[in-house]
Every structure is written in C-alpha cells, then in structure tokens.
Amino acid sequence: MLNERMIGLGSAPNAIRSLFAYGIKRKAEIGEDKVFDYSIGNPSVPAPQQVTECIKRLMDEDPVALHSYTPSPGMLEARQAVANHIQREFGVAADPAQVYLTHGAAAALAICLSAVACPGDEVIVPTPYFTEYKTWIEQAGAHIVEVPCQVPSFQLDVEAIEAAITPKTAAIIVDSPNNPVGAIYSRENLEALAAALSRKEAEFGTKIYLIADEPYRAITYGDEVPYIPCIYPRTLVCYSFSKTLSLPGERLGYIYVSNLMDNVEETTFAIQGAGRSLGYICCSALFQRVLIECIDLPSDVEAYRVNREILTQGLSKIGYEYVEPQGAFYLWVKALEDDDLAFAQRAKEHELLVCPSSGFGGKGYVRMSYCIARETIENSMPALQELWDSYHQD
Ligand code: PLP
C-alpha cells in the first residue's frame, strides 16, 4: 500500500512551484520578455567569484579524498568554520560539536522539527509563513498552530502566541527577515516572545524550542537582525547559503544548537538522530570545502535594494499598497479584491505571475519575488497599471 499522505503531497505541488512551472511553460510559448515572473525566490545575483575560484581549485585535488563521505554532521573543519563565524559575528562561544551541516535550510528545518516534536505535539507558526513549514511539521507527526502576525506591522503578536501555547507546544518557528512579508522582528518584539516562552515553560514544566529559520539573515536594507540565541537560550538556528551566497541548487546550510540552553547535549543528540533517521547525513563534500573558504563573504544585496526601490516606487505611483520590506527579497502587496486567488488569476491574464497569500496562510495579499532581472521589473509596470485599471474602470 502506498502512503496516502505522500501521494497527496506529490500530486499537489505547492502554489509557488506550480506558478514557477507555469512561468517556464508560458515563456516558451510567448517569449521570455513577455512574462513577468515574480513567483519564486531564486537569487538573481550570481554567486561570488571567490566561490567559483574555490571550486576550480578544488577540482585539482585528489578526487578520491575530495568526493568521499564526510562524517554525518559534516567535516570538523567545516563545522569549526561555522562555529568561528558565529563567534566572530555574534560574540557567542559556539562549539563545532553543536553544528550540523545540512542540505539547505529545508533539511535543517525538517531535522529540527523531527528532533523536537513528538507525534501529537503542536508547533506554532506565525502567519503568513513559508509554505513548506506545514509539510515538515506534519512529517514529524505534529500539528501546525497558526497565529497571525500583527497587521500592518507584521511583527509577532506575542500576546496571541502566548495564548496559543499549551502543554503540547514543542516549538515555534520564527523566520526573520521574513518570507513572504520581508519583516524583521525587532529586538523588543523578540524579547517579549522570549519572556512569554519562558513563562509558559515554567507554567507547564515543558521545554519549548524556538526554531530560528534564517536563510535571509544577511539580506537586509539597514535594520538590525537580532541574533536569537542571545535572546532565548533554547534556540535552534537553521541557516542556509542558498540566498546569501546565491547557491540554492547546491543545498548547503547548517543547524546551530545554541550552547546557552540547559539541555544542549541531549538536544544535539536529537538533531544528529533526526538527521540520521531522515537520511540527511553528510551534505555535499565539495560544498563543505567551499564553506570553509567562503563563509565570511558578504552578501551582495545592492541589486535587491535597487529592485526594491524600482518596484515599490512603481507600485506606489499606480496606487498599490504593500508592506515596506526590511529584508529578504519579497514584497507583500495588497490584492485589489478580498479573494487573493482570484486576484492572482487576474494578474496572470496580464502575464504577471504573483503568488496568492492563501498559500502562505494569509488572506488578501500576493507575494512578489523581486530577485529577478531589473528590466523585468521595469517592463512589468504597464501590465501592473493595466491590472490596476481593470479594477478601477467605473
Ligand atoms: N525557509 C525559508 C523562509 C525559505 O524562504 C526557504 C527557501 O526559499 C527555505 C527555508 C529553504 O531554503 P533552502 O534552499 O536553504 O533549503
């Protein structure tokens, strides 16, 4: 017997991927430049030149050693490089033993959720949220508990989160800078959350993990992104080089188990056990070596900053409302009708591919990924105007 849940997941690709696939097909039909594809978060900035040079150099090394398995959590030198980076950037004395290298943030999250949640547990997710969280939470046998963020700031609604915590709450996922909204949670907001989690841990005698999903940490436009392990000790950081070094197809990231939590050793074992159980061991040996050399390279956010300006100014001029993004490369735009699915469908008729907010557990908005060519944004303005006009004809 096949697993019904897996058939369901496999036969219903997520909203973003479906739109992305439609975009590929549509571009082949009418031409690349006629489709304004704001669907997916594939970085438009190339990976740094140093990454390319490092790979070329590695190709001259002994292929047997180069392509061999590494230890399951990754090479010690690579985990040490991550620990050193954390120490340098955030002043936290990280130990390589608490670092687990992963196949991107996706694997990091799936591992963390399997490690901390038992069947029947609950995991709190502030909405709107990255679509795949629900899949990974349910894979762990747990239930998603959605708690809307404050509108219009899209900061965490700590009071509502505290009210949603039960003795079954195993974790909360916090994604800042946020996909899909672009919000960065302020220090004050995170401190209030930490206090609420600690209060509930004390009240219920449970352990509540904060899973900090941080693939966009380095993609910001000026605001501080507080380091959550310094605010809440029971934190698991899920990091990725997909966006910050433009390496999404190489599948490279890590989990850092904060050494400030009281049960760090046991939690690290659980992470290693979950990685083993899910088959996420020994991520790319080649890219572990790239990480050793390239972990400190800065992210090139300039192109995204320019895109953000062009898109927001263009939309404002037409009359659209949106949430000013503080980080990442997504814009959360108010749909011109309550039904975001209908709005996204109407946008499609103007060759504008935007993701409806329902796919992110939100209502009445669409997400536009502006990690695309600058000309595409500029050339999409007449279509955005036509879309607007189609709602304002009388
Ligand atoms: N978390 C968020 C918020 C994301 O936006 C993404 C990818 O878009 C992921 C996790 C997964 O990223 P990765 O490519 O590192 O697996």
Side-chain angles (χ1 to χ4, degrees):
M1 279 283 278
L2 284 168
N3 181 322
E4 285 299 327
R5 180 173 171 264
M6 296 306 161
I7 297 173
L9 285 174
S11 59
N14 79 36
I16 306 172
R17 295 247 159 219
S18 317
L19 198 59
F20 178 57
Y22 169 82
I24 293 171
K25 184 173 139 274
R26 192 67 182 142
K27 284 174 204 168
E29 282 165 5
I30 64 167
E32 187 94 10
D33 59 330
K34 306 273 186 321
V35 182
F36 310 111
D37 186 353
Y38 286 99
S39 65
I40 204 166
N42 234 342
S44 50
V45 169
Q49 183 59 24
Q50 290 95 322
V51 169
T52 311
E53 282 160 15
C54 176
I55 295 168
K56 283 186 183 158
R57 222 176 320 111
L58 287 168
M59 286 301 112
D60 291 331
E61 291 194 4
D62 168 27
V64 173
L66 183 63
H67 301 300
S68 290
Y69 286 121
T70 71
S72 298
M75 296 162 65
L76 179 59
E77 298 89 321
R79 287 183 287 133
Q80 184 69 60
V82 172
N84 293 348
H85 180 83
I86 292 171
Q87 165 89 53
R88 260 194 311 277
E89 288 283 307
F90 313 112
V92 172
D95 187 312
Q98 286 132 29
V99 174
Y100 191 99
L101 301 184
T102 60
H103 309 66
L109 283 153
I111 291 173
C112 286
L113 287 161
S114 283
V116 305
C118 297
D121 279 351
E122 293 164 0
V123 177
I124 294 180
V125 173
T127 67
Y129 59 91
F130 178 59
T131 44
E132 293 302 280
Y133 290 166
K134 188 166 190 282
T135 309
W136 300 322
I137 290 169
E138 290 177 353
Q139 171 58 29
H143 306 292
I144 185 168
V145 176
E146 300 181 3
V147 179
C149 281
Q150 302 174 51
V151 177
S153 71
F154 285 92
Q155 292 285 297
L156 301 168
D157 185 341
V158 175
E159 233 176 86
I161 290 172
E162 186 162 3
I165 296 174
T166 73
K168 284 180 176 280
T169 304
I172 175 168
I173 304 179
V174 171
D175 167 30
S176 176
N178 177 267
N179 173 11
V181 172
I184 293 175
Y185 304 131
S186 70
R187 182 171 290 279
E188 198 188 14
N189 195 219
L190 291 167
E191 282 172 353
L193 173 68
L197 297 178
S198 301
R199 264 195 304 276
K200 287 293 177 182
E201 278 198 342
E203 181 184 338
F204 295 136
T206 53
K207 295 197 187 328
I208 306 173
Y209 285 85
L210 192 160
I211 301 176
D213 182 21
E214 304 205 325
Y216 303 97
R217 157 163 288 283
I219 301 177
T220 62
Y221 308 107
D223 290 277
E224 178 207 13
V225 186
Y227 197 54
I228 299 180
C230 298
I231 297 176
Y232 184 69
R234 209 176 307 288
T235 293
L236 301 168
V237 175
C238 295
Y239 189 82
S240 166
F241 297 92
S242 293
K243 319 286 175 172
T244 55
L245 287 186
S246 297
L247 294 170
E250 307 307 345
R251 318 305 302 128
L252 185 68
Y254 65 79
I255 298 164
Y256 166 56
V257 180
S258 169
N259 62 350
L260 302 173
M261 71 179 77
D262 51 15
N263 58 341
V264 60
E265 201 179 337
E266 195 186 21
T267 304
T268 306
F269 282 137
I271 293 292
Q272 291 174 354
R276 177 180 169 194
S277 138
L278 292 167
Y280 283 137
I281 50 154
C282 169
C283 67
S284 163
L286 179 64
F287 276 86
Q288 289 189 40
R289 289 173 170 89
V290 171
L291 182 154
I292 295 170
E293 278 194 40
C294 299
I295 190 163
D296 288 323
L297 292 177
S299 291
D300 179 4
V301 297
E302 219 25 60
Y304 303 135
R305 188 192 302 279
V306 171
N307 284 1
R308 184 180 80 134
E309 289 314 304
I310 296 172
L311 182 59
T312 54
Q313 282 174 13
L315 288 174
S316 294
K317 218 163 133 201
I318 297 171
Y320 288 94
E321 289 173 43
Y322 52 82
V323 179
E324 193 72 42
Q326 297 166 283
F329 36 51
Y330 306 104
L331 192 68
W332 197 238
V333 182
K334 202 146 184 31
L336 299 178
E337 59 180 297
D338 291 343
D339 183 344
D340 47 86
L341 288 164
F343 176 69
Q345 190 56 37
R346 177 136 21 144
K348 222 167 161 184
E349 290 163 19
H350 297 268
E351 309 301 348
L352 287 160
L353 308 188
V354 296
C355 295
S357 55
S358 320
F360 304 92
K363 279 199 184 77
Y365 286 80
V366 288
R367 187 195 78 171
M368 298 177 77
S369 298
Y370 56 84
C371 46
I372 58 177
R374 182 174 155 181
E375 310 81 72
T376 307
I377 300 178
E378 287 165 347
N379 297 339
S380 71
M381 287 304 152
L384 285 160
Q385 180 72 60
E386 282 165 24
L387 177 61
W388 172 273
D389 292 343
S390 77
Y391 282 92
H392 299 86
Q393 272 159 354
D394 322 312

